[in-house]
Amino acid sequence: MLQEIAMQREHLQGAAIETIYFGGGTPSLLTADEINRLFDAICRYYPVKDLKECTLEANPDDLDKNYLRSLRHTPVSRFSIGVQSFRDEDLRYMKRAHNAQQADTAIKGAQDAGFENLTIDLIYGIPGLSDAAWKQNLDRVGQLRIPHFSSYALTVEERTALYHAIAQRKAAPVDNERSAAQLEILMHTAAAMGYEHYEISNLALPGRYAVHNTNYWRGLPYLGIGPSAHSFDGGIRRRWNVANNALYTQSILQDHKLQYEEEVLTPHDRLNEYIMTSLRTQWGCDLAYITAQWDATTTKAVAKSSELFQEKKWIVHEGGKLYLTRAGKLFADRIASELFIVEEK
């Protein structure tokens, strides 16, 4: 990874680095020394004087007092803690290594160590998670004074322990209706606690948005380092490194090159991606921006397609922008796909 940082130094074309995000896999396995080595390499090749946020994803069971104390001597200023639930029965169902007490202890320990800028993730739609228990999970966010959290419906990926347990009827399957009901509870409860639902899966107290995530939704360029890491040039090229750890390492250390795949986005790809990402945020889909970047005919087509959803009260059209309503957020992917412009062959 240190070598790749040097190899990729032209990717961002000198753009100032606002955020660094140690994510994917389990970056909390890194020692403070390893984090500093990576950060030093970034500073060597990229302008970081405008750095606003340096986030480390962490498992709750990794954040003990000694590790937290060592991280005070790194640039890490924010933690994303994989809590998922404050209930042991949910964590057992999802085959998580930590328990509810460890989640609580990790959050309080980080705060005591001076890391006030935290985000956690919470999962809803878990079989056995009642609506009352889900609200208790949300209430715990407020009690712990956590400024930001992400919340997702439980999805079961193939080739996971949970997937096989469900297939063998050793675990209950996911109930999509329960997930939808708990998304509504999330929206109402979070608003009552003062959180802004600024993106469908992300909620924050006023002014505490994740800078890294927000820049991603704004379509700014980013560079991903490591196996499977994705990068975007801010224009038309997206690429992702080879996923296999051994091949990744060999290509850099032995072959002195990087193995990756790349796609070139068409104007339609970029438009549809803008529609999808902008609709998910509280800032909405800007029709004037579509006109400026594409053309007025495209803007009219998108606006026309939105009329059906305006009638259903799933979208509101205000100030030249399209916004999802609370009801519309339950159908965000469907709505976005209906607004997509299909490229003529």
Side-chain angles (χ1 to χ4, degrees):
M1 290 175 67
L2 291 167
Q3 296 230 13
E4 188 190 351
I5 288 170
M7 293 167 68
Q8 297 268 49
R9 58 183 173 271
E10 302 301 326
H11 178 83
L12 296 175
Q13 299 179 343
I17 304 296
E18 289 192 340
T19 66
I20 297 173
Y21 194 99
F22 291 92
T26 311
S28 50
L29 292 175
L30 291 169
T31 66
D33 178 62
E34 288 167 337
I35 290 171
N36 281 330
R37 288 174 63 200
L38 289 165
F39 184 73
D40 288 346
I42 293 169
C43 291
R44 193 174 307 126
Y45 298 107
Y46 304 90
V48 295
K49 62 182 177 61
D50 296 323
L51 188 68
K52 297 177 180 176
E53 186 181 88
C54 182
T55 303
L56 178 76
E57 283 189 359
N59 288 339
D61 43 314
D62 288 335
L63 294 181
D64 60 35
K65 285 185 179 180
N66 289 334
Y67 188 51
L68 286 164
R69 193 178 300 118
S70 71
L71 292 175
R72 293 298 300 167
H73 303 287
T74 72
V76 172
S77 59
R78 180 175 181 267
F79 286 116
S80 175
I81 305 176
V83 170
Q84 302 196 333
S85 177
F86 291 104
R87 291 169 16 106
D88 283 332
E89 48 267 65
D90 298 336
L91 296 170
R92 285 193 295 267
Y93 174 87
M94 293 184 288
K95 314 295 185 187
R96 302 304 300 168
H98 69 278
N99 59 40
Q101 182 59 54
Q102 286 174 313
D104 239 49
T105 300
I107 293 167
K108 292 174 183 175
Q111 292 169 330
D112 290 344
F115 293 98
E116 184 274 336
N117 195 4
L118 303 178
T119 183
I120 68 168
D121 64 330
L122 289 177
I123 309 295
Y124 56 87
I126 304 167
L129 177 66
S130 68
D131 292 348
W134 172 230
K135 189 173 184 308
Q136 288 173 356
N137 262 344
L138 294 171
D139 289 342
R140 193 71 185 122
V141 176
Q143 292 163 2
L144 288 167
R145 307 183 312 281
I146 300 170
H148 183 287
F149 70 102
S150 301
S151 194
Y152 308 94
L154 177 66
T155 56
V156 182
E157 302 292 340
E158 291 188 22
R159 298 189 296 277
T160 62
L162 180 55
Y163 176 85
H164 290 296
I166 292 173
Q168 296 167 11
R169 300 187 179 181
K170 295 179 180 178
V174 175
D175 182 338
N176 291 330
E177 289 187 11
R178 171 59 59 85
S179 293
Q182 292 184 352
L183 173 55
E184 294 194 72
I185 291 170
L186 166 67
M187 291 188 282
H188 288 284
T189 303
M193 294 194 302
Y195 287 84
E196 296 179 10
H197 198 177
Y198 74 105
E199 194 271 345
I200 282 182
S201 299
N202 288 271
L203 305 97
L205 294 174
R208 304 303 299 272
Y209 310 140
V211 180
H212 185 85
N213 302 34
T214 303
N215 285 350
Y216 171 79
W217 299 319
R218 289 168 59 202
L220 297 184
Y222 54 86
L223 172 62
I225 299 294
S228 293
H230 282 59
S231 302
F232 177 55
D233 67 359
I236 63 171
R237 295 184 186 278
R238 181 177 288 112
R239 69 189 196 187
W240 51 97
N241 289 348
V242 62
N244 183 283
N245 289 356
L247 288 177
Y248 168 83
T249 304
Q250 177 183 320
S251 68
I252 292 177
L253 297 184
Q254 295 182 22
D255 304 332
H256 305 293
K257 64 181 182 180
L258 187 64
Q259 282 199 37
Y260 61 86
E261 294 185 56
E262 183 177 81
E263 68 174 335
V264 177
L265 303 177
T266 68
H268 281 82
D269 291 334
R270 292 189 296 110
L271 169 64
N272 292 338
E273 188 166 288
Y274 171 72
I275 291 170
M276 179 180 66
T277 55
S278 64
L279 271 181
R280 291 179 61 91
T281 72
Q282 68 176 8
W283 300 286
C285 180
D286 189 340
L287 298 178
Y289 177 80
I290 293 177
T291 299
Q293 295 293 315
W294 289 274
D295 54 58
T297 301
T298 299
T299 304
K300 290 178 182 177
V302 173
K304 181 68 176 176
S305 296
S306 75
E307 291 176 358
L308 171 63
F309 301 113
Q310 292 180 54
E311 292 172 9
K312 291 177 178 286
K313 301 190 184 308
W314 291 357
I315 281 182
V316 293
H317 184 178
E318 293 179 353
K321 295 183 178 181
L322 303 176
Y323 302 93
L324 292 180
T325 63
R326 281 191 181 177
K329 288 176 181 177
L330 297 171
F331 306 98
D333 291 342
R334 172 184 163 188
I335 293 169
S337 66
E338 291 294 329
L339 300 189
F340 285 170
I341 301 297
V342 179
E343 189 170 7
E344 296 181 5
K345 300 296 183 181

Short mmCIF file of all heavy atoms in Angstrom, two decimals, residues 207-235:
data_model
loop_
_atom_site.label_atom_id
_atom_site.label_comp_id
_atom_site.label_asym_id
_atom_site.label_seq_id
_atom_site.Cartn_x
_atom_site.Cartn_y
_atom_site.Cartn_z
N GLY A 207 -24.91 20.24 11.26
CA GLY A 207 -23.52 20.59 11.03
C GLY A 207 -22.52 19.47 11.26
O GLY A 207 -21.32 19.69 11.16
N ARG A 208 -23.01 18.24 11.53
CA ARG A 208 -22.10 17.15 11.83
C ARG A 208 -22.10 16.09 10.70
O ARG A 208 -21.86 14.91 10.95
CB ARG A 208 -22.47 16.49 13.17
CG ARG A 208 -22.52 17.44 14.34
CD ARG A 208 -21.20 18.19 14.55
NE ARG A 208 -20.08 17.30 14.82
CZ ARG A 208 -19.75 16.89 16.03
NH1 ARG A 208 -20.44 17.26 17.09
NH2 ARG A 208 -18.71 16.08 16.19
N TYR A 209 -22.34 16.53 9.49
CA TYR A 209 -22.32 15.60 8.36
C TYR A 209 -20.92 15.01 8.17
O TYR A 209 -19.91 15.64 8.51
CB TYR A 209 -22.70 16.32 7.05
CG TYR A 209 -23.95 17.14 7.11
CD1 TYR A 209 -24.01 18.38 6.49
CD2 TYR A 209 -25.07 16.70 7.81
CE1 TYR A 209 -25.16 19.15 6.54
CE2 TYR A 209 -26.22 17.47 7.86
CZ TYR A 209 -26.27 18.70 7.23
OH TYR A 209 -27.39 19.46 7.30
N ALA A 210 -20.85 13.82 7.62
CA ALA A 210 -19.57 13.21 7.29
C ALA A 210 -19.02 13.91 6.04
O ALA A 210 -19.65 13.89 4.99
CB ALA A 210 -19.75 11.72 7.02
N VAL A 211 -17.86 14.52 6.17
CA VAL A 211 -17.26 15.24 5.04
C VAL A 211 -16.93 14.26 3.92
O VAL A 211 -17.19 14.52 2.74
CB VAL A 211 -16.00 16.00 5.49
CG1 VAL A 211 -15.38 16.74 4.29
CG2 VAL A 211 -16.32 16.97 6.61
N HIS A 212 -16.35 13.10 4.29
CA HIS A 212 -15.95 12.12 3.29
C HIS A 212 -17.15 11.65 2.47
O HIS A 212 -17.11 11.66 1.24
CB HIS A 212 -15.28 10.94 3.99
CG HIS A 212 -14.72 9.92 3.06
ND1 HIS A 212 -13.46 10.03 2.50
CD2 HIS A 212 -15.24 8.76 2.57
CE1 HIS A 212 -13.24 9.00 1.70
NE2 HIS A 212 -14.30 8.21 1.73
N ASN A 213 -18.20 11.24 3.14
CA ASN A 213 -19.40 10.75 2.44
C ASN A 213 -20.00 11.83 1.56
O ASN A 213 -20.41 11.58 0.42
CB ASN A 213 -20.45 10.28 3.45
CG ASN A 213 -19.96 9.18 4.37
OD1 ASN A 213 -18.79 9.17 4.74
ND2 ASN A 213 -20.83 8.28 4.75
N THR A 214 -20.08 13.05 2.10
CA THR A 214 -20.70 14.14 1.37
C THR A 214 -19.92 14.46 0.10
O THR A 214 -20.51 14.71 -0.96
CB THR A 214 -20.81 15.39 2.26
OG1 THR A 214 -21.55 15.05 3.45
CG2 THR A 214 -21.55 16.51 1.53
N ASN A 215 -18.60 14.44 0.17
CA ASN A 215 -17.79 14.68 -1.02
C ASN A 215 -18.02 13.60 -2.08
O ASN A 215 -18.03 13.88 -3.29
CB ASN A 215 -16.30 14.73 -0.66
CG ASN A 215 -15.92 16.03 0.02
OD1 ASN A 215 -16.70 16.98 0.06
ND2 ASN A 215 -14.71 16.09 0.56
N TYR A 216 -18.21 12.36 -1.62
CA TYR A 216 -18.51 11.27 -2.55
C TYR A 216 -19.82 11.54 -3.28
O TYR A 216 -19.89 11.40 -4.51
CB TYR A 216 -18.57 9.96 -1.77
CG TYR A 216 -19.09 8.79 -2.58
CD1 TYR A 216 -18.26 8.12 -3.48
CD2 TYR A 216 -20.42 8.37 -2.47
CE1 TYR A 216 -18.73 7.06 -4.24
CE2 TYR A 216 -20.89 7.30 -3.23
CZ TYR A 216 -20.05 6.65 -4.11
OH TYR A 216 -20.52 5.62 -4.86
N TRP A 217 -20.86 11.94 -2.55
CA TRP A 217 -22.15 12.20 -3.20
C TRP A 217 -22.10 13.42 -4.11
O TRP A 217 -22.91 13.54 -5.03
CB TRP A 217 -23.24 12.38 -2.13
CG TRP A 217 -23.40 11.16 -1.27
CD1 TRP A 217 -23.39 9.85 -1.68
CD2 TRP A 217 -23.57 11.13 0.14
NE1 TRP A 217 -23.54 9.02 -0.60
CE2 TRP A 217 -23.65 9.76 0.52
CE3 TRP A 217 -23.67 12.11 1.13
CZ2 TRP A 217 -23.83 9.36 1.85
CZ3 TRP A 217 -23.84 11.72 2.45
CH2 TRP A 217 -23.91 10.37 2.79
N ARG A 218 -21.16 14.31 -3.86
CA ARG A 218 -21.01 15.49 -4.71
C ARG A 218 -20.26 15.16 -6.00
O ARG A 218 -20.11 16.03 -6.86
CB ARG A 218 -20.26 16.59 -3.95
CG ARG A 218 -21.06 17.25 -2.83
CD ARG A 218 -20.17 18.10 -1.95
NE ARG A 218 -19.50 19.15 -2.72
CZ ARG A 218 -18.39 19.76 -2.32
NH1 ARG A 218 -17.79 19.40 -1.19
NH2 ARG A 218 -17.86 20.70 -3.06
N GLY A 219 -19.78 13.93 -6.13
CA GLY A 219 -19.09 13.53 -7.35
C GLY A 219 -17.66 13.99 -7.43
O GLY A 219 -17.09 14.07 -8.54
N LEU A 220 -17.04 14.30 -6.28
CA LEU A 220 -15.64 14.73 -6.29
C LEU A 220 -14.72 13.53 -6.52
O LEU A 220 -15.08 12.39 -6.21
CB LEU A 220 -15.30 15.41 -4.97
CG LEU A 220 -16.07 16.70 -4.66
CD1 LEU A 220 -15.56 17.32 -3.36
CD2 LEU A 220 -15.93 17.71 -5.81
N PRO A 221 -13.52 13.76 -7.04
CA PRO A 221 -12.60 12.64 -7.28
C PRO A 221 -12.10 12.05 -5.98
O PRO A 221 -12.02 12.73 -4.95
CB PRO A 221 -11.45 13.30 -8.06
CG PRO A 221 -11.51 14.74 -7.70
CD PRO A 221 -12.96 15.05 -7.49
N TYR A 222 -11.78 10.75 -6.02
CA TYR A 222 -11.21 10.09 -4.85
C TYR A 222 -10.26 9.00 -5.31
O TYR A 222 -10.36 8.49 -6.42
CB TYR A 222 -12.30 9.52 -3.94
CG TYR A 222 -13.28 8.59 -4.61
CD1 TYR A 222 -13.02 7.22 -4.74
CD2 TYR A 222 -14.49 9.07 -5.11
CE1 TYR A 222 -13.92 6.37 -5.35
CE2 TYR A 222 -15.40 8.23 -5.73
CZ TYR A 222 -15.12 6.88 -5.84
OH TYR A 222 -16.01 6.04 -6.46
N LEU A 223 -9.34 8.67 -4.43
CA LEU A 223 -8.34 7.64 -4.71
C LEU A 223 -8.45 6.55 -3.66
O LEU A 223 -8.39 6.83 -2.46
CB LEU A 223 -6.94 8.25 -4.69
CG LEU A 223 -5.76 7.27 -4.78
CD1 LEU A 223 -5.79 6.50 -6.09
CD2 LEU A 223 -4.44 8.01 -4.60
N GLY A 224 -8.59 5.30 -4.11
CA GLY A 224 -8.64 4.16 -3.21
C GLY A 224 -7.34 3.38 -3.28
O GLY A 224 -6.82 3.11 -4.37
N ILE A 225 -6.79 3.03 -2.12
CA ILE A 225 -5.52 2.31 -2.03
C ILE A 225 -5.76 0.94 -1.41
O ILE A 225 -6.44 0.83 -0.38
CB ILE A 225 -4.50 3.08 -1.15
CG1 ILE A 225 -4.21 4.47 -1.75
CG2 ILE A 225 -3.23 2.29 -0.97
CD1 ILE A 225 -3.49 4.44 -3.07
N GLY A 226 -5.21 -0.12 -2.03
CA GLY A 226 -5.32 -1.46 -1.46
C GLY A 226 -6.14 -2.40 -2.34
O GLY A 226 -6.77 -1.96 -3.32
N PRO A 227 -6.16 -3.69 -2.02
CA PRO A 227 -6.93 -4.66 -2.80
C PRO A 227 -8.41 -4.28 -2.82
O PRO A 227 -8.97 -3.88 -1.79
CB PRO A 227 -6.72 -5.98 -2.04
CG PRO A 227 -5.48 -5.77 -1.26
CD PRO A 227 -5.42 -4.33 -0.90
N SER A 228 -9.02 -4.35 -4.00
CA SER A 228 -10.45 -4.05 -4.21
C SER A 228 -10.80 -2.57 -4.12
O SER A 228 -11.95 -2.21 -4.34
CB SER A 228 -11.34 -4.81 -3.23
OG SER A 228 -11.30 -6.19 -3.46
N ALA A 229 -9.85 -1.72 -3.78
CA ALA A 229 -10.15 -0.31 -3.59
C ALA A 229 -10.58 0.35 -4.90
O ALA A 229 -10.02 0.09 -5.96
CB ALA A 229 -8.93 0.42 -3.03
N HIS A 230 -11.61 1.19 -4.81
CA HIS A 230 -12.16 1.90 -5.97
C HIS A 230 -11.64 3.34 -6.02
O HIS A 230 -11.44 3.96 -4.97
CB HIS A 230 -13.68 1.92 -5.90
CG HIS A 230 -14.32 0.64 -6.31
ND1 HIS A 230 -14.06 -0.55 -5.66
CD2 HIS A 230 -15.20 0.34 -7.31
CE1 HIS A 230 -14.76 -1.52 -6.24
NE2 HIS A 230 -15.45 -1.01 -7.24
N SER A 231 -11.48 3.84 -7.23
CA SER A 231 -11.06 5.22 -7.45
C SER A 231 -11.92 5.85 -8.53
O SER A 231 -12.47 5.16 -9.40
CB SER A 231 -9.58 5.28 -7.89
OG SER A 231 -8.74 4.68 -6.94
N PHE A 232 -12.01 7.20 -8.49
CA PHE A 232 -12.81 7.94 -9.47
C PHE A 232 -12.08 9.24 -9.77
O PHE A 232 -11.58 9.91 -8.85
CB PHE A 232 -14.19 8.22 -8.90
CG PHE A 232 -15.08 9.04 -9.80
CD1 PHE A 232 -15.34 8.64 -11.11
CD2 PHE A 232 -15.67 10.21 -9.32
CE1 PHE A 232 -16.17 9.40 -11.93
CE2 PHE A 232 -16.51 10.96 -10.13
CZ PHE A 232 -16.76 10.56 -11.45
N ASP A 233 -11.99 9.59 -11.04
CA ASP A 233 -11.23 10.79 -11.41
C ASP A 233 -12.07 12.06 -11.38
O ASP A 233 -11.58 13.14 -11.73
CB ASP A 233 -10.57 10.62 -12.78
CG ASP A 233 -11.58 10.55 -13.92
OD1 ASP A 233 -12.80 10.61 -13.68
OD2 ASP A 233 -11.13 10.42 -15.09
N GLY A 234 -13.34 11.95 -10.97
CA GLY A 234 -14.21 13.11 -10.93
C GLY A 234 -14.85 13.44 -12.26
O GLY A 234 -15.66 14.37 -12.35
N GLY A 235 -14.49 12.68 -13.29
CA GLY A 235 -15.03 12.94 -14.63
C GLY A 235 -15.71 11.71 -15.20
O GLY A 235 -16.89 11.48 -14.95
#
